[in-house]
Amino acid sequence: LLSQSMFPLHVDLNTIIDHAKIQLQPSQIQAGNDLIVLQMHGTAGLDANNAQFDNLLKINLRPKLLLKPELSGSGSINMPWRFIMVNGQQASVEGEMHFQQVSLTGADFQINGIDGKLKWEEELQLGGKPIKFRYLVHADPFQRVDYGRIQPFLDDQQFLHIKEMKVGGISAGPGQTNILLKQNMFRLQQLHLAVLGGHMTGHLYVDLSPGQWKIGLLSRLSQLDLRKLLQNESAMKQTKFAPLSARTALEFDVNRQLLQGRINISEINRDQLLQLLEVIDPQHQDEQLASVRSALRLAYPEWVTVSMERGLMDLEVAISALPKPIRVRGLPLTPLIKQFSGDILAGLQ
């Protein structure tokens, strides 16, 4: 529900109509005392099958933007964009979004200090309900990005900077990324983000294919402090700092709430592994993980691989004194996902 801040509403439309077309002279719509300002001009055929409009949307964020769901903000967003329609069947929408000191706060998230810009481009199929993408862009979450190949399409001025964000109880920032938005695919390339006391580099995508939303992450993590993920009552919360580094290739199916992929930790010490086990099994209830904890009393770990598929997680842990790695099978992922995502994912569904 929109709050009363959307009003008053002022509409100023200037049109010229002749035998062939409708010309929209520079016109403007204002809502909520300049909360939203839309400026536009262009032409359209009398049959409304062909049209071209150039627009500028200005949004000046403020507290209590939405009541349900709750949303407040500050800063401004300017969005120049062009709309082209052909034969009433196809539409092209492209433009840019310019962020100036934007902050957004909802019930389960907070994002502060967004600056920079991103470009976007959409090709749509009209003539039916709902409007559809003309084509879909697909991604492989486990394929490394060849930045040399895509570098000509990356503009240094397109970087988006974020001061801080909090989602599902996890804080991150500052960070920056080069954002590419095309069709259903929202890509964050060359992502650099401070998180869990350490740093993450890599790329992330959000696939908005109808009914098949997915989030993919290919990254290198360094100097992470896993104590920040532990529950406050955990005794491991007070252990010494043991920074962890790893590589990840993950994909999360939003609709099915399933996580798949791998996490590789090539170097790990005893304190780091104990903290990792505490994140996975804070109540010390899993018998398989109990065997790993027991082995750590006598020897030290060498490497760890985490695999996830069909809602379950497997671990392979190499221990110095053992001839073969310890294999842990079938740990449920759902409790972990709910613990760290809060109500965010339920809202997306």
Side-chain angles (χ1 to χ4, degrees), residues 65-349:
L65 288 171
L66 297 176
L67 298 179
K68 294 182 180 180
E70 178 183 339
L71 180 64
S72 294
S74 62
S76 63
I77 303 173
N78 291 341
M79 188 169 68
W81 56 288
R82 171 173 290 179
F83 172 82
I84 299 175
M85 181 171 63
V86 179
N87 297 326
Q89 296 296 316
Q90 299 178 3
S92 172
V93 188
E94 60 181 9
E96 297 181 347
M97 296 182 69
H98 300 251
F99 297 84
Q100 295 180 331
Q101 286 297 303
V102 170
S103 294
L104 293 168
T105 302
D108 297 295
F109 74 92
Q110 183 177 348
I111 306 176
N112 296 322
I114 307 175
D115 281 288
K117 66 179 180 179
L118 63 89
K119 287 186 177 181
W120 52 280
E121 180 181 331
E122 304 291 338
E123 298 288 337
L124 304 174
Q125 188 70 41
L126 307 179
K129 293 183 179 180
I131 296 174
K132 299 180 179 179
F133 294 114
R134 284 186 59 196
Y135 62 91
L136 298 177
V137 177
H138 300 285
D140 181 354
F142 311 123
Q143 181 178 9
R144 296 189 182 278
V145 176
D146 182 358
Y147 286 114
R149 181 173 57 83
I150 68 172
Q151 189 63 43
F153 303 100
L154 299 178
D155 184 349
D156 289 340
Q157 303 302 314
Q158 296 300 126
F159 272 97
L160 196 69
H161 301 265
I162 299 175
K163 183 178 180 180
E164 181 187 27
M165 59 182 177
K166 299 178 182 179
V167 180
I170 299 177
S171 298
Q176 70 173 32
T177 183
N178 195 304
I179 297 184
L180 305 173
L181 175 57
K182 187 176 181 67
Q183 298 300 97
N184 55 295
M185 194 63 63
F186 192 86
R187 293 183 182 271
L188 282 71
Q189 309 279 22
Q190 295 179 296
L191 173 64
H192 300 268
L193 182 66
V195 60
L196 297 178
H199 193 75
M200 177 175 70
T201 61
H203 73 270
L204 178 147
Y205 71 81
V206 180
D207 184 351
L208 301 177
S209 297
Q212 302 179 43
W213 285 23
K214 295 179 180 179
I215 302 171
L217 173 66
L218 183 66
S219 72
R220 176 181 293 181
L221 306 171
S222 59
Q223 299 293 300
L224 299 189
D225 186 355
L226 294 184
R227 296 175 301 177
K228 295 180 180 292
L229 295 177
L230 301 180
Q231 299 176 7
N232 291 330
E233 60 271 18
S234 171
M236 294 293 295
K237 194 84 170 177
Q238 307 304 320
T239 56
K240 66 180 182 180
F241 176 48
L244 183 71
S245 298
R247 292 179 179 270
T248 71
L250 304 171
E251 184 178 65
F252 181 70
D253 188 316
V254 175
N255 300 86
R256 297 192 299 164
Q257 300 275 288
L258 294 179
L259 181 65
Q260 67 169 343
R262 292 174 65 87
I263 301 175
N264 293 319
I265 306 172
S266 57
E267 296 182 6
I268 189 168
N269 62 35
R270 181 178 181 276
D271 292 326
Q272 293 168 337
L273 181 52
L274 286 174
Q275 291 175 4
L276 178 61
L277 297 179
E278 191 76 7
V279 173
I280 298 172
D281 180 33
Q283 304 302 322
H284 294 218
Q285 294 178 336
D286 189 88
E287 294 182 359
Q288 297 181 87
L289 295 181
S291 66
V292 179
R293 290 186 171 102
S294 297
L296 291 176
R297 298 191 184 102
L298 304 174
Y300 58 87
E302 296 178 335
W303 52 262
V304 175
T305 298
V306 182
S307 301
M308 290 158 281
E309 188 175 2
R310 299 178 182 177
L312 299 174
M313 175 170 56
D314 298 338
L315 277 76
E316 193 169 8
V317 183
I319 303 292
S320 61
L322 301 180
K324 294 182 179 180
I326 298 176
R327 292 179 172 84
V328 178
R329 304 297 187 192
L331 301 177
L333 280 167
T334 300
L336 281 174
I337 294 172
K338 289 184 177 180
Q339 178 183 346
F340 294 115
S341 67
D343 296 327
I344 296 292
L345 295 177
L348 289 176
Q349 284 187 304

